[in-house]
Amino acid sequence: MGAVEAKLGNLSQRLLMPAEAPAHFAHGRPSSFPKCPENSLLLLSHVALATADKQKSLDFYVTGLGGGFLPEEKGIRIHAGVTQLHLHPDGMLDGSQLAQVWPGHMYCWVKDAHAVVNACQSLDPAIIEGVHHLTDEKVIDAVVLQEPSVENRIVINPAPKGGLVGKIESLGSQADERKTTNLLAIMDATHLIAPGTGEAVKRCYEHFLATTVSRKRGGYVLHFSLGQSLQQTLTFVEHESVPPLKLGLPVPGICIYMPSTELFETCFQRCSDAGILKGPSTLKEAKEASEFRFQQCMDPETKDVTLELLHIVRLQQHAECPLPEGFVVQRETIAPELVIDTPFTELTLPEVAVHNTPEDAWVVINGRVYDVTDWVGVHPWHIIMGDYGKDISAQWNIVHAPGTWEDDLAYPKGPRVLGYVQSASNPRHSPLAGA
C-alpha cells in the first residue's frame, strides 16, 4: 500500500476504482445513474482557482487532459462536459482572492485514459504520478496527475461503458465544441479539512444549503444530481495535514446550482440572517441576478467559522447556466441512510460473512465485495456459490476469464459492487492495486 499512500494519501486511494466498467455511480447498471439522496443539489458547475501561468495551465488541462477551451470566453474556462474549471490569471473573483491549489483532489471521467497518458507523457512525464491497472495490464483504470508548477492533483477514470457517456455529452450549451474533447465531467471534488471539523461542516451545509450530507467512512459528502444525466459529489475529508483554520487566506471557489427557486430563497435568507453573505444584499437583487455568494462556512450551532470556501449559488435561469434552455430534471430519490459508498468502502471478511443467505448474499471475488442477492436464481451461481458470505475467488477464477464480472454488471439484476477487502485472496485486484 505504501506506493499509493505516498502519492495520494490514505483518503485519495478511494478514487482508484474497479476496471473500465465500474459500478461507482451506476450500482451495477452502467447505462444509468442510481437514485439520488433526498435534497440533492442540482449541479456542481465549476471550480474556480487562480493561475500564475496561463500557458502551462492550458497545456495541462487542454492538451493533456483533453478539456475544451474557447479562446473568446472571458478568462480561462476549461470545459469538461457540462462542468468547467475557471482559472483566473489575476487571482481575483468577486472581490475574493483565489487560491491556486484545490485543497485535496478533483476526480474526473474521460473517454480515453490512454490518450491522457500519452498526451501528458509528451508534455512532461513528471505530470503522471501513477497509472493503475487493476484487472488487466492493457486496461488503464485510474491515472493520478499533478498540474505542473502547482500542487493540483487530478485523478481520472475512463467513464463506464454503457449509455452514460452519451447522456453526459448531451448536456450543456456548447455541444459542438464538446464533441472534440476527451474530458467528460468533474465527478467529485474532495476538500481536505482540519481534524475534528467534519461534523461542523456537515451542519453548515445541511442548514445553509438545506441539502443532504451523507456521513461515510471516507468523509462527508454533498450530492448533486441531474437525474439520469449526471451525478456528482463534493466530499470533505478530515486529514491531519490540514492546520486549524486561519481566516483571510486565498480560497478556492465553487459554483452550485440549486434545484428550485424556493430552496434558493430559503438558503439566501439563512445566509443573510447569519451575516455571511458576500452579495447581493437583498433577496430581490439575488433573484434578479439568479445568484448570491458566501465564503464563510459557519457552524449554525456554535457560530464558529470552520471553513472558508467561496460559494457562488445560482438558479438555473442564470445567463451562464451550462444546461440547455428549458432543461427539466427528473430524478428519483432515496433516503440518505440508504446511500451506499460504493465501491470505495473498505470492508472486512467478518462483515461480509454475515450476509450468507440467498436472501442476503454477499461474496468476495478477487478483492472486491459484491451483493449478488438479485442475481440468485437468474444465473447458476449455485455451481460455485454454496458459500455466500465468503471469498470465492478460487472457484470463480477456475471457470471465468478476466473481465467476466464487467459483463455481469451490465445485467439489470446483475451483481452490485459494494466495496473491497484488503485481506482477500488476489489482493492485486483491490482498489489499492499497485501498492
Side-chain angles (χ1 to χ4, degrees):
M1 192 186 331
V4 177
E5 284 186 357
K7 292 175 179 178
L8 292 179
N10 295 333
L11 300 162
S12 302
Q13 293 169 357
R14 68 185 188 85
L15 294 176
L16 303 183
M17 292 163 46
E20 198 173 353
H24 171 195
F25 287 100
H27 284 248
R29 297 181 293 277
S31 62
S32 64
F33 288 96
K35 296 178 181 180
C36 61
E38 293 174 348
N39 302 321
S40 294
L41 301 171
L42 190 66
L43 174 68
L44 178 61
S45 69
H46 69 256
V47 173
L49 297 169
T51 180
D53 192 323
K54 177 179 178 179
Q55 190 56 53
K56 281 189 176 181
S57 295
L58 288 174
D59 288 344
F60 177 67
Y61 290 106
V62 178
T63 305
L65 272 68
F69 174 64
L70 299 178
E72 65 270 20
E73 290 183 319
K74 180 181 178 181
I76 303 173
R77 299 189 179 188
I78 308 300
H79 291 269
V82 75
T83 63
Q84 300 171 7
L85 178 64
H86 290 194
L87 301 174
H88 296 258
D90 64 359
M92 300 298 296
L93 176 62
D94 295 329
S96 293
Q97 186 176 0
L98 289 174
Q100 291 190 45
V101 179
W102 177 262
H105 52 257
M106 286 177 277
Y107 165 61
C108 303
W109 277 359
V110 298
K111 289 186 284 189
D112 186 346
H114 286 276
V116 172
V117 171
N118 292 337
C120 288
Q121 284 178 335
S122 297
L123 286 173
D124 181 359
I127 290 174
I128 303 173
E129 291 195 354
V131 178
H132 299 272
H133 311 268
L134 306 186
T135 56
D136 187 332
E137 289 299 318
K138 296 180 180 179
V139 176
I140 295 176
D141 297 292
V143 183
V144 185
L145 306 166
Q146 182 163 308
E147 182 182 355
S149 303
V150 293
E151 297 178 358
N152 281 318
R153 180 171 284 119
I154 310 293
V155 179
I156 66 163
N157 268 135
K161 295 175 180 176
L164 291 180
V165 171
K167 290 176 180 178
I168 293 173
E169 288 187 316
S170 71
L171 296 168
S173 58
Q174 287 142 349
D176 290 341
E177 176 268 338
R178 283 197 241 284
K179 290 179 181 178
T180 63
T181 65
N182 188 22
L183 194 60
L184 284 172
I186 299 172
M187 304 302 293
D188 173 82
T190 292
H191 189 302
L192 302 184
I193 56 178
T197 62
E199 287 298 323
V201 170
K202 180 177 185 290
R203 289 191 295 268
C204 170
Y205 283 102
E206 288 177 336
H207 177 73
F208 291 109
L209 290 184
T211 188
T212 296
V213 180
S214 302
R215 178 68 175 96
K216 301 182 180 180
R217 295 186 185 196
Y220 300 81
V221 182
L222 279 69
H223 301 266
F224 301 80
S225 175
L226 292 174
Q228 291 300 307
S229 299
L230 181 66
Q231 288 194 20
Q232 304 161 283
T233 51
L234 173 63
T235 306
F236 293 94
V237 175
E238 295 182 2
H239 198 274
E240 62 273 9
S241 66
V242 181
L245 178 65
K246 183 178 180 180
L247 299 177
L249 298 177
V251 297
I254 57 173
C255 182
I256 293 171
Y257 280 85
M258 304 299 285
S260 70
T261 300
E262 293 75 17
L263 194 59
F264 177 89
E265 294 176 354
T266 297
C267 296
F268 175 91
Q269 195 60 55
R270 291 179 180 180
C271 291
S272 179
D273 291 344
I276 61 175
L277 275 178
K278 284 184 66 68
S281 58
T282 68
L283 178 58
K284 180 182 178 181
E285 292 173 324
K287 291 180 67 175
E288 289 175 350
S290 295
E291 175 183 306
F292 69 87
R293 302 176 300 281
F294 70 97
Q295 182 167 312
Q296 294 184 336
C297 293
M298 176 187 291
D299 184 345
E301 292 186 4
T302 66
K303 311 303 180 185
D304 294 330
V305 176
T306 58
L307 173 71
E308 280 206 305
L309 174 64
L310 179 61
H311 296 75
I312 303 169
V313 182
R314 289 177 174 172
L315 286 169
Q316 195 172 335
Q317 296 93 312
H318 195 281
E320 293 187 0
C321 179
L323 299 174
E325 185 176 355
F327 181 83
V328 177
V329 178
Q330 296 179 338
R331 59 191 188 187
E332 297 180 82
T333 63
I334 56 175
E337 61 269 17
L338 298 180
V339 178
I340 300 175
D341 193 11
T342 60
F344 304 142
T345 302
E346 181 174 1
L347 300 167
T348 65
L349 289 176
E351 287 176 314
V352 174
V354 300
H355 303 272
N356 57 14
T357 68
E359 294 75 29
D360 180 21
W362 292 12
V363 295
V364 178
I365 301 176
N366 297 331
R368 297 190 185 94
V369 180
Y370 299 91
D371 181 346
V372 296
T373 307
D374 291 340
W375 202 222
V376 175
V378 178
H379 181 277
W381 281 86
H382 60 274
I383 296 175
I384 63 171
M385 286 180 54
D387 295 326
Y388 303 120
K390 296 184 180 180
D391 185 342
I392 62 163
S393 303
Q395 302 99 302
W396 173 272
N397 292 330
I398 290 174
V399 295
H400 293 87
T404 304
W405 73 276
E406 298 179 10
D407 296 332
D408 290 342
L409 287 173
Y411 285 88
K413 292 188 176 181
R416 253 187 333 126
V417 181
L418 297 178
Y420 65 95
V421 290
Q422 285 291 356
S423 56
S425 61
N426 230 355
R428 71 184 183 87
H429 294 302
S430 78
L432 303 184

